[in-house]
Amino acid sequence: MNTQTRHFFDPAKLPAVYHPGETLYEKLQEMGMEVKEFATKISIPEEVIVSVIKGQGSITPKMAETFEMITKIPAYMWLCHQKSYDDFIARKKTSL
């Protein structure tokens, strides 16, 4: 490969993408709702919600639907945010 070949993708120039758990945490704070109360309202174990908030768990389509009921943030937004984060992490890993 020619060393002067331009790369179309420069991982160092990727904009930072944050885990959707940060958005969830901020929304719960805005609503004045504790994690335990949120988990109870949507019938998802509190540990799962904590995992998402910590950036260790992913938002599934079913979770996105239930999040929408309480947060009024559309399910597709939660899923797009999760996909953007997953893509960002995958690109960072392949650039190492």
Side-chain angles (χ1 to χ4, degrees), residues 63-76:
M63 289 168 69
E65 289 176 6
T66 58
F67 286 13
E68 178 179 358
M69 291 186 310
I70 304 298
T71 66
K72 305 303 182 210
I73 296 173
Y76 76 89

Side-chain angles (χ1 to χ4, degrees), residues 8-81:
F8 292 104
F9 170 70
D10 182 358
K13 294 182 181 178
L14 281 175
V17 177
Y18 299 95
H19 192 279
E22 290 187 40
T23 303
L24 177 59
Y25 179 73
E26 290 172 2
K27 185 63 179 176
L28 292 179
Q29 283 189 320
E30 178 185 304
M31 294 168 52
M33 187 178 295
E34 297 292 327
V35 173
K36 185 173 187 161
E37 179 185 359
F38 179 70
T40 301
K41 283 186 179 212
I42 62 173
S43 301
I44 293 178
E46 184 178 358
E47 302 82 42
V48 173
I49 303 303
V50 169
S51 176
V52 168
I53 288 173
K54 288 183 175 182
Q56 298 166 343
S58 296
I59 296 174
T60 66
K62 181 67 178 162
M63 289 168 69
E65 289 176 6
T66 58
F67 286 13
E68 178 179 358
M69 291 186 310
I70 304 298
T71 66
K72 305 303 182 210
I73 296 173
Y76 76 89
M77 295 293 288
W78 289 112
L79 294 174
C80 286
H81 195 142

